[in-house]
Amino acid sequence: MIWDILIAVALVIGAVFTLVGSYGLVKIDRPMSRLHAPTKASTLGVGSLLLASILDAYSSGDGSLHEILVMAFLFVTAPISAHFMAKAHIHRGTVAAAPPTLESGETWACLDKDREEQPADTSA
Amino acid sequence: MIQIALVFAYVCIGLSLILAMWRLWKGPNVIDRVLALDTLVVNGIGMIVVFGISTGVETYFESALIIAMLGFVSTVAYARFVLRGNIIE
């Protein structure tokens, strides 16, 4: 009985967080703010669903911690993909404020628009 | 009790998939579409895990792991393509 309650609570929490993440993806109007909802809420929701799966495996006798692997992989890779998408937003200029200019005269790597026109670096 | 929670989870994740699909269809620029695709992958993993709980088959976790890896690689490849024009320099 206690297992049933724990599994049901983890399932409901995970489903609600997943729904909130996708609702934020539709609801939030600015592109850079829109990154927040799915990359955090949905990842947490899927983590809770995987916790429910672990609890279900333990309640049926043959417990396994395999789902920890998926959970750890998702929690590690979600910030990386969000970071890449934020860099692409800065590159395309769909942000509210451009990054500050550097004192040394260099440009930010993600703003380096004429990189393709430069001759190829053969020293690498 | 688990049956009710499973049905609730199915409905919520299905709605999430529809909302992410809407953003994929509507999204004003290409990064929004990449983000919607990433959300679709994450929601799909959730759906597979819930399906694995409701059927009691352990194998679904492996497909969830593979989809997680493919989703991460494809998201990074799309974002990198938008950022640089090519993927592996």
Side-chain angles (χ1 to χ4, degrees), chain A residues 48-97:
Chain A
S48 184
L49 292 177
L50 288 162
L51 184 69
S53 180
I54 294 172
L55 291 174
D56 183 59
Y58 270 101
S59 74
S60 64
D62 49 344
S64 71
L65 291 177
H66 287 157
E67 282 84 357
I68 293 277
L69 209 58
V70 185
M71 205 191 282
F73 189 81
L74 274 179
F75 283 7
V76 167
T77 56
I80 299 172
S81 51
H83 176 73
F84 266 102
M85 282 185 271
K87 273 172 75 175
H89 268 308
I90 293 172
H91 176 70
R92 290 178 63 88
T94 52
V95 289

Side-chain angles (χ1 to χ4, degrees), chain A residues 4 15 18-19 22 25-26 34 38 46 49-50 53 66 73 77 85 87-89 91-92 94 109 115-116, chain B residues 2 9 12-13 16 19 22-23 29 31-32 35 39 42-43 46 49 53 58 61 68-69 72 82-84 89:
Chain A
D4 285 9
T18 312
L19 184 58
S22 289
L25 179 68
V26 171
R34 214 177 279 145
V46 171
L49 292 177
L50 288 162
S53 180
H66 287 157
F73 189 81
T77 56
M85 282 185 271
K87 273 172 75 175
H89 268 308
H91 176 70
R92 290 178 63 88
T94 52
R115 181 188 171 90
E116 300 304 319
Chain B
I2 291 181
C12 280
I13 297 171
S16 309
L19 291 175
W22 188 84
R23 177 55 74 190
N29 70 53
I31 304 296
D32 287 325
L35 179 63
T39 313
V42 170
N43 288 342
V49 168
I53 295 174
E58 290 277 317
F61 125 84
M69 288 177 174
F72 170 65
V82 172
L83 197 60
R84 285 291 187 218
E89 295 181 6

Side-chain angles (χ1 to χ4, degrees), chain B residues 50-84:
Chain B
V50 173
F51 193 67
I53 295 174
S54 72
T55 54
V57 180
E58 290 277 317
T59 320
Y60 287 111
F61 125 84
E62 292 174 15
S63 59
L65 185 58
I66 289 170
I67 289 176
M69 288 177 174
L70 281 178
F72 170 65
V73 171
S74 62
T75 305
V76 170
Y78 275 129
R80 190 123 187 106
F81 184 73
V82 172
L83 197 60
R84 285 291 187 218

